[in-house]
Structures are given as structure tokens and as C-alpha cells.
Amino acid sequence: MKTLIQKSTTLVTFLLICLQLSAHNSGPMPVITLAGIEVKGTKLDSSLVTDLVIHELRKLNIYDVTNRRDAEYAAAQEGFSLQDCFSKQCMLRIGKLTESQKVMGGSIERFSDKIYLTFRLVDVPTGQVVNSFSMEFLNLEDRVALMIEITLKKMHNLAYDEESYKKVTIVQTLENTLNNPNVSKLNL
């Protein structure tokens, strides 16, 4: 019995040391700054959308997200506005000013009965676009926060809620949810 306790204690100690080394070696999260988010064809406020994207980036817990006011201040000091910062050159400029490793920009556009979200992730030191991702959703402006969450999670290969995804991408799923909120499956 005493040997079992000693072995268990040794194993727990070993695991704790491994966890500490793993946490120590992972290093700090890369700093990311959000440049402009272009909003077209919707009633959505560009400032609100920017705040939502920043919030969702923070929730990913993989970046140290630059405070929006700090980025706006840095841009203003150089004579430009983040609200108009959509080009790769402008994104790199704000990334360098805020000493970020990554910078992201994007757009939310409505065409007919669809909303399209597009994001570009640029590596500041190399100047290369490391990820460009676009998704198509139903025209549900009141669910744009969910659309942003899903797009960013899919862009970074993170888990997302499949049912929520279906509700904003598949017409029949949305209609079933709205017309039969208390029914988990609709029998046809």
C-alpha cells in the first residue's frame, strides 16, 4: 500500500512538472491588431461590428488582442483612420505601429439574400497573407455576432457549434427552428 502511494505521488509530481514545462515553453500569445472591417449593404454599424470581431478574437484565446483605442490612437498619430484601413499595405502599417505579430482585416457584405464574411490574416514580420477565409450566411443581420464567431473559429480550425452553424446557413433549419421552437426534430 505504501509503495502504491509513493508511485502515485511520484506520477502526480512528474505530471505537474511536465505541465509547468509545457506552459513555460509555449511562450506568450502573438499580438494581433484588428485593422478595418468594411461593412456594405447592411444596416450594421461599422464600429459595432469592429467591437464584435475584437470580442470574438479575444474569446478564441490564441491571441493577445490590441486594444481598439490604442490602435486608433497609433493610426491617428500617423494621419490615417482604422475605419479606412482595408489594404494589405495599410494593415501592415498599423501592425508595425502597434508592434503586432499579426494583423487582421475583413468585410461583411450583403448581396441579395446572403451575408458574406471575409477575413484576412497577415503576418506582420513577413508581410505575407497567412490566411484568407470567407463564409456565406443567410440574411440574418441580428445574428451577425454568431456569424463572426463561427467564421473566426472555422478560420482557425477550432471547434464550433454545428447546430448554431446550421441555423445561420440552412434555410430549412432556420424555418424549423422559428416555426417549431420546442421540437428537436421535424418529422416530414
Side-chain angles (χ1 to χ4, degrees):
M1 182 72 164
K2 190 174 186 178
T3 308
L4 181 61
I5 293 173
Q6 287 174 332
K7 286 182 180 179
S8 297
T9 304
T10 304
L11 179 62
V12 168
T13 304
F14 175 75
L15 289 174
L16 287 174
I17 291 170
C18 287
L19 285 173
Q20 282 183 324
L21 289 175
S22 174
H24 181 69
N25 290 336
S26 65
M29 293 186 286
V31 177
I32 188 170
T33 297
L34 184 65
I37 300 293
E38 190 172 23
V39 179
K40 292 183 181 177
T42 74
K43 297 174 187 169
L44 298 169
D45 176 62
S46 177
S47 180
L48 172 68
V49 170
T50 299
D51 287 341
L52 287 171
V53 174
I54 289 171
H55 178 70
E56 292 301 330
L57 278 171
R58 284 190 178 120
K59 283 175 41 182
L60 295 178
N61 200 31
I62 58 175
Y63 297 114
D64 177 8
V65 183
T66 302
N67 182 290
R68 178 179 175 186
R69 301 295 176 231
D70 292 338
E72 288 173 343
Y73 178 79
Q77 291 298 305
E78 294 294 315
F80 69 99
S81 169
L82 278 184
Q83 292 179 342
D84 301 320
C85 191
F86 307 120
S87 69
K88 180 179 165 185
Q89 294 81 5
C90 187
M91 291 170 63
L92 285 170
R93 187 174 175 194
I94 193 62
K96 289 174 183 174
L97 287 171
T98 57
E99 300 178 1
S100 300
Q101 287 81 37
K102 307 284 185 201
V103 65
M104 181 179 280
S107 66
I108 297 179
E109 301 180 60
R110 184 181 63 80
F111 293 109
S112 186
D113 62 340
K114 301 286 184 186
I115 292 179
Y116 297 88
L117 273 67
T118 302
F119 293 110
R120 274 193 315 172
L121 182 64
V122 178
D123 183 73
V124 176
T126 66
Q128 299 296 312
V129 175
V130 292
N131 198 342
S132 185
F133 198 82
S134 187
M135 289 192 65
E136 174 183 303
F137 296 94
L138 299 173
N139 186 11
L140 303 168
E141 287 185 25
D142 61 325
R143 297 191 182 168
V144 73
L146 177 61
M147 295 174 194
I148 292 168
E149 175 188 348
I150 291 168
T151 303
L152 290 175
K153 284 183 176 179
K154 286 184 68 116
M155 178 181 190
H156 290 87
N157 296 316
L158 299 172
Y160 60 93
D161 181 33
E162 187 68 33
E163 286 303 311
S164 295
Y165 171 73
K166 288 178 184 177
K167 289 177 185 176
V168 292
T169 58
I170 301 171
V171 174
Q172 186 176 6
T173 303
L174 172 67
E175 290 173 352
N176 289 347
T177 303
L178 293 175
N179 296 331
N180 302 292
N182 297 322
V183 178
S184 60
K185 280 190 174 178
L186 184 63
N187 295 322
L188 300 176

